[in-house]
Amino acid sequence: MAAHNELGAWGEEIAADYLQRQGYQILERDWKSGHRDLDLIAMDNDTLVFVEVKTRRDRIFTDPEMAVDYQKIRNLQQAANHYVKYKHTDNDIRFDLITVVGMIGETPDIEHIKDAF
């Protein structure tokens, strides 16, 4: 597996663990809708939360949240719409962003932005 893929998988694991410690129930990981994917899908009480995870080694070039542009948000919304229809759910929904900055084997910096977009 390429190093950036390993880092991304590590970041998603860190994010899922973080959410579980916050009381969220993880429903899905890396859910696919065609060529689109949803990193994490979780329940926060009665709210269905679609979580985009951005992992970076550092913040030298840019902050990880800057990687979520208009096209990415649109893809996430379309994938979430597919998920809601596929699962026949009528829960309130929310889109969160979790950034994980650090290296595998180190304690990362985690930022959770609720209702990010």
Side-chain angles (χ1 to χ4, degrees):
M1 181 182 290
H4 71 279
N5 290 338
E6 287 180 21
L7 187 69
W10 173 75
E12 287 183 19
E13 186 64 32
I14 294 292
D17 290 346
Y18 167 84
L19 289 173
Q20 288 175 320
R21 287 192 310 275
Q22 301 304 311
Y24 289 65
Q25 177 189 4
I26 304 298
L27 302 177
E28 308 274 355
R29 294 178 187 219
D30 200 28
W31 192 83
K32 303 275 190 233
S33 172
H35 66 277
R36 299 175 183 97
D37 73 309
L38 298 165
D39 293 335
L40 298 171
I41 303 171
M43 289 299 296
D44 179 20
N45 296 315
D46 293 330
T47 302
L48 184 62
V49 184
F50 298 98
V51 182
E52 177 66 9
V53 180
K54 288 296 176 193
T55 307
R56 298 291 183 269
R57 296 177 204 277
D58 52 50
R59 296 179 186 272
I60 291 174
F61 296 109
T62 185
D63 289 326
E65 56 270 18
M66 298 306 292
V68 184
D69 60 10
Y70 171 78
Q71 187 62 46
K72 180 64 176 175
I73 291 169
R74 203 162 157 240
N75 284 338
L76 292 169
Q77 290 170 334
Q78 289 174 347
N81 186 49
H82 179 203
Y83 183 85
V84 166
K85 288 179 180 178
Y86 178 74
K87 294 292 186 171
H88 306 288
T89 183
D90 61 356
N91 295 79
D92 288 338
I93 66 167
R94 187 176 81 216
F95 291 89
D96 289 5
L97 174 64
I98 294 183
T99 63
V100 179
V101 178
M103 297 288 289
I104 296 172
E106 297 176 358
T107 302
D109 178 33
I110 303 167
E111 184 176 356
H112 182 189
I113 303 167
K114 292 183 180 181
D115 205 16
F117 41 86

